[in-house]
CSV table of all heavy atoms in Angstrom, one decimal:
chain,number,residue,atom,x,y,z
A,12,SER,N,-24.3,129.8,-38.9
A,12,SER,CA,-23.1,129.6,-38.1
A,12,SER,C,-21.9,130.3,-38.7
A,12,SER,O,-21.8,130.3,-39.9
A,12,SER,CB,-22.8,128.1,-38.0
A,12,SER,OG,-22.5,127.6,-39.3
A,13,GLY,N,-21.1,130.9,-37.9
A,13,GLY,CA,-19.9,131.6,-38.4
A,13,GLY,C,-20.3,133.0,-38.9
A,13,GLY,O,-19.4,133.7,-39.4
A,14,VAL,N,-21.5,133.4,-38.7
A,14,VAL,CA,-21.9,134.8,-39.2
A,14,VAL,C,-22.3,135.6,-38.0
A,14,VAL,O,-23.1,135.2,-37.2
A,14,VAL,CB,-23.0,134.6,-40.2
A,14,VAL,CG1,-23.5,136.0,-40.7
A,14,VAL,CG2,-22.6,133.8,-41.4
A,15,ARG,N,-21.8,136.8,-37.9
A,15,ARG,CA,-22.2,137.7,-36.9
A,15,ARG,C,-23.2,138.6,-37.4
A,15,ARG,O,-22.9,139.3,-38.4
A,15,ARG,CB,-20.9,138.4,-36.4
A,15,ARG,CG,-21.1,139.2,-35.1
A,15,ARG,CD,-19.8,139.6,-34.5
A,15,ARG,NE,-19.0,140.4,-35.5
A,15,ARG,CZ,-19.0,141.7,-35.5
A,15,ARG,NH1,-19.8,142.4,-34.7
A,15,ARG,NH2,-18.2,142.3,-36.4
A,16,ASP,N,-24.4,138.6,-36.8
A,16,ASP,CA,-25.4,139.5,-37.3
A,16,ASP,C,-25.3,140.8,-36.4
A,16,ASP,O,-25.6,140.8,-35.2
A,16,ASP,CB,-26.8,138.8,-37.1
A,16,ASP,CG,-27.8,139.5,-37.9
A,16,ASP,OD1,-27.6,140.7,-38.3
A,16,ASP,OD2,-28.9,138.9,-38.1
A,17,THR,N,-24.9,141.9,-37.0
A,17,THR,CA,-24.6,143.1,-36.2
A,17,THR,C,-25.8,144.0,-36.1
A,17,THR,O,-25.7,145.0,-35.4
A,17,THR,CB,-23.4,143.8,-36.8
A,17,THR,OG1,-23.7,144.1,-38.2
A,17,THR,CG2,-22.2,142.9,-36.8
A,18,SER,N,-26.8,143.8,-36.9
A,18,SER,CA,-27.9,144.7,-36.8
A,18,SER,C,-29.1,144.1,-37.5
A,18,SER,O,-29.0,143.2,-38.3
A,18,SER,CB,-27.6,146.0,-37.6
A,18,SER,OG,-28.7,146.9,-37.6
A,19,SER,N,-30.3,144.4,-37.1
A,19,SER,CA,-31.5,143.9,-37.7
A,19,SER,C,-32.7,144.8,-37.4
A,19,SER,O,-32.6,145.8,-36.8
A,19,SER,CB,-31.8,142.5,-37.2
A,19,SER,OG,-32.0,142.5,-35.8
A,20,GLY,N,-33.8,144.4,-38.0
A,20,GLY,CA,-35.0,145.1,-37.7
A,20,GLY,C,-35.3,146.2,-38.8
A,20,GLY,O,-34.5,146.4,-39.7
A,21,PRO,N,-36.4,146.8,-38.6
A,21,PRO,CA,-36.9,147.8,-39.6
A,21,PRO,C,-36.0,149.1,-39.6
A,21,PRO,O,-35.4,149.4,-38.6
A,21,PRO,CB,-38.3,148.1,-39.3
A,21,PRO,CG,-38.4,147.8,-37.8
A,21,PRO,CD,-37.4,146.7,-37.5
A,22,GLY,N,-36.1,149.9,-40.6
A,22,GLY,CA,-35.5,151.2,-40.6
A,22,GLY,C,-36.3,152.1,-39.8
A,22,GLY,O,-37.3,151.8,-39.1
A,23,ALA,N,-35.9,153.4,-39.8
A,23,ALA,CA,-36.7,154.5,-39.1
A,23,ALA,C,-38.1,154.5,-39.7
A,23,ALA,O,-38.4,154.0,-40.8
A,23,ALA,CB,-36.0,155.8,-39.4
A,24,SER,N,-39.1,155.0,-38.8
A,24,SER,CA,-40.5,154.8,-39.2
A,24,SER,C,-40.7,155.5,-40.6
A,24,SER,O,-40.2,156.6,-40.9
A,24,SER,CB,-41.4,155.5,-38.2
A,24,SER,OG,-41.1,156.9,-38.2
A,25,GLY,N,-41.4,154.8,-41.4
A,25,GLY,CA,-41.7,155.3,-42.8
A,25,GLY,C,-40.6,155.0,-43.8
A,25,GLY,O,-40.8,155.1,-45.0
A,26,ALA,N,-39.5,154.6,-43.3
A,26,ALA,CA,-38.3,154.2,-44.2
A,26,ALA,C,-38.5,152.8,-44.6
A,26,ALA,O,-39.1,152.0,-43.9
A,26,ALA,CB,-37.0,154.4,-43.4
A,27,PRO,N,-37.9,152.4,-45.7
A,27,PRO,CA,-37.9,151.0,-46.1
A,27,PRO,C,-37.2,150.2,-45.1
A,27,PRO,O,-36.3,150.7,-44.4
A,27,PRO,CB,-37.3,151.0,-47.5
A,27,PRO,CG,-36.5,152.3,-47.6
A,27,PRO,CD,-37.2,153.3,-46.6
A,28,PRO,N,-37.5,148.8,-45.1
A,28,PRO,CA,-36.7,148.0,-44.2
A,28,PRO,C,-35.2,148.1,-44.5
A,28,PRO,O,-34.8,148.3,-45.7
A,28,PRO,CB,-37.2,146.6,-44.6
A,28,PRO,CG,-38.5,146.8,-45.2
A,28,PRO,CD,-38.5,148.1,-45.8
A,29,ARG,N,-34.4,147.9,-43.5
A,29,ARG,CA,-33.0,148.0,-43.6
A,29,ARG,C,-32.4,147.2,-44.8
A,29,ARG,O,-32.9,146.0,-44.9
A,29,ARG,CB,-32.3,147.7,-42.4
A,29,ARG,CG,-32.5,148.6,-41.2
A,29,ARG,CD,-31.9,148.0,-39.9
A,29,ARG,NE,-32.4,148.7,-38.8
A,29,ARG,CZ,-31.7,149.2,-37.8
A,29,ARG,NH1,-30.4,149.1,-37.9
A,29,ARG,NH2,-32.2,149.9,-36.8
A,30,LEU,N,-31.5,147.7,-45.5
A,30,LEU,CA,-30.8,146.9,-46.5
A,30,LEU,C,-29.9,145.8,-45.9
A,30,LEU,O,-29.1,146.1,-45.0
A,30,LEU,CB,-30.0,147.8,-47.4
A,30,LEU,CG,-29.5,147.2,-48.7
A,30,LEU,CD1,-30.6,147.0,-49.7
A,30,LEU,CD2,-28.3,148.0,-49.3
A,31,ARG,N,-30.1,144.6,-46.3
A,31,ARG,CA,-29.3,143.5,-45.7
A,31,ARG,C,-28.0,143.4,-46.4
A,31,ARG,O,-28.0,143.2,-47.7
A,31,ARG,CB,-30.1,142.2,-45.9
A,31,ARG,CG,-31.4,142.2,-45.2
A,31,ARG,CD,-32.0,140.8,-45.1
A,31,ARG,NE,-32.2,140.2,-46.4
A,31,ARG,CZ,-33.3,140.3,-47.2
A,31,ARG,NH1,-34.3,141.1,-46.8
A,31,ARG,NH2,-33.3,139.7,-48.4
A,32,VAL,N,-26.9,143.7,-45.7
A,32,VAL,CA,-25.6,143.7,-46.3
A,32,VAL,C,-24.7,142.7,-45.7
A,32,VAL,O,-24.6,142.6,-44.4
A,32,VAL,CB,-25.0,145.1,-46.1
A,32,VAL,CG1,-23.5,145.2,-46.6
A,32,VAL,CG2,-25.8,146.2,-46.9
A,33,ALA,N,-24.1,141.9,-46.5
A,33,ALA,CA,-23.0,140.9,-46.0
A,33,ALA,C,-21.7,141.6,-46.3
A,33,ALA,O,-21.3,142.0,-47.3
A,33,ALA,CB,-23.1,139.6,-46.8
A,34,CYS,N,-20.9,141.6,-45.2
A,34,CYS,CA,-19.5,142.1,-45.2
A,34,CYS,C,-18.6,140.9,-45.3
A,34,CYS,O,-18.4,140.2,-44.4
A,34,CYS,CB,-19.3,142.9,-44.0
A,34,CYS,SG,-17.6,143.6,-43.9
A,35,LEU,N,-18.0,140.7,-46.5
A,35,LEU,CA,-17.2,139.5,-46.8
A,35,LEU,C,-15.8,139.8,-46.5
A,35,LEU,O,-15.2,140.6,-47.2
A,35,LEU,CB,-17.5,139.1,-48.3
A,35,LEU,CG,-16.9,137.8,-48.8
A,35,LEU,CD1,-17.4,136.6,-48.0
A,35,LEU,CD2,-17.3,137.7,-50.3
A,36,LEU,N,-15.2,139.1,-45.5
A,36,LEU,CA,-13.8,139.3,-45.2
A,36,LEU,C,-13.0,138.2,-45.9
A,36,LEU,O,-13.1,137.0,-45.7
A,36,LEU,CB,-13.6,139.1,-43.7
A,36,LEU,CG,-13.9,140.2,-42.8
A,36,LEU,CD1,-13.9,139.8,-41.3
A,36,LEU,CD2,-12.9,141.4,-43.0
A,37,GLY,N,-12.1,138.7,-46.9
A,37,GLY,CA,-11.6,137.8,-47.8
A,37,GLY,C,-10.1,137.4,-47.7
A,37,GLY,O,-9.6,136.7,-48.5
A,38,GLY,N,-9.4,137.9,-46.6
A,38,GLY,CA,-8.0,137.6,-46.5
A,38,GLY,C,-7.7,136.2,-46.0
A,38,GLY,O,-8.5,135.6,-45.3
A,39,PRO,N,-6.6,135.6,-46.5
A,39,PRO,CA,-6.2,134.3,-46.0
A,39,PRO,C,-5.8,134.4,-44.5
A,39,PRO,O,-5.1,135.2,-44.1
A,39,PRO,CB,-5.0,133.9,-46.9
A,39,PRO,CG,-4.4,135.2,-47.3
A,39,PRO,CD,-5.6,136.2,-47.4
A,40,ALA,N,-6.4,133.4,-43.8
A,40,ALA,CA,-6.2,133.5,-42.3
A,40,ALA,C,-4.7,133.5,-41.9
A,40,ALA,O,-4.4,134.2,-41.0
A,40,ALA,CB,-7.0,132.4,-41.7
A,41,GLU,N,-3.9,132.7,-42.5
A,41,GLU,CA,-2.5,132.5,-42.0
A,41,GLU,C,-1.6,133.7,-42.3
A,41,GLU,O,-0.7,133.9,-41.5
A,41,GLU,CB,-1.9,131.2,-42.6
A,41,GLU,CG,-1.7,131.2,-44.1
A,41,GLU,CD,-3.0,130.8,-44.9
A,41,GLU,OE1,-4.1,130.8,-44.3
A,41,GLU,OE2,-2.8,130.5,-46.1
A,42,THR,N,-1.9,134.5,-43.3
A,42,THR,CA,-1.0,135.7,-43.5
A,42,THR,C,-1.8,137.0,-43.3
A,42,THR,O,-1.2,138.1,-43.4
A,42,THR,CB,-0.5,135.7,-44.9
A,42,THR,OG1,-1.6,135.7,-45.8
A,42,THR,CG2,0.4,134.5,-45.2
Side-chain angles (χ1 to χ4, degrees):
S12 60
V14 177
R15 191 164 57 91
D16 198 341
T17 57
S18 178
S19 60
S24 67
R29 293 172 194 231
L30 189 74
R31 301 190 302 273
V32 174
C34 179
L35 187 58
L36 276 171
E41 64 276 17
T42 58

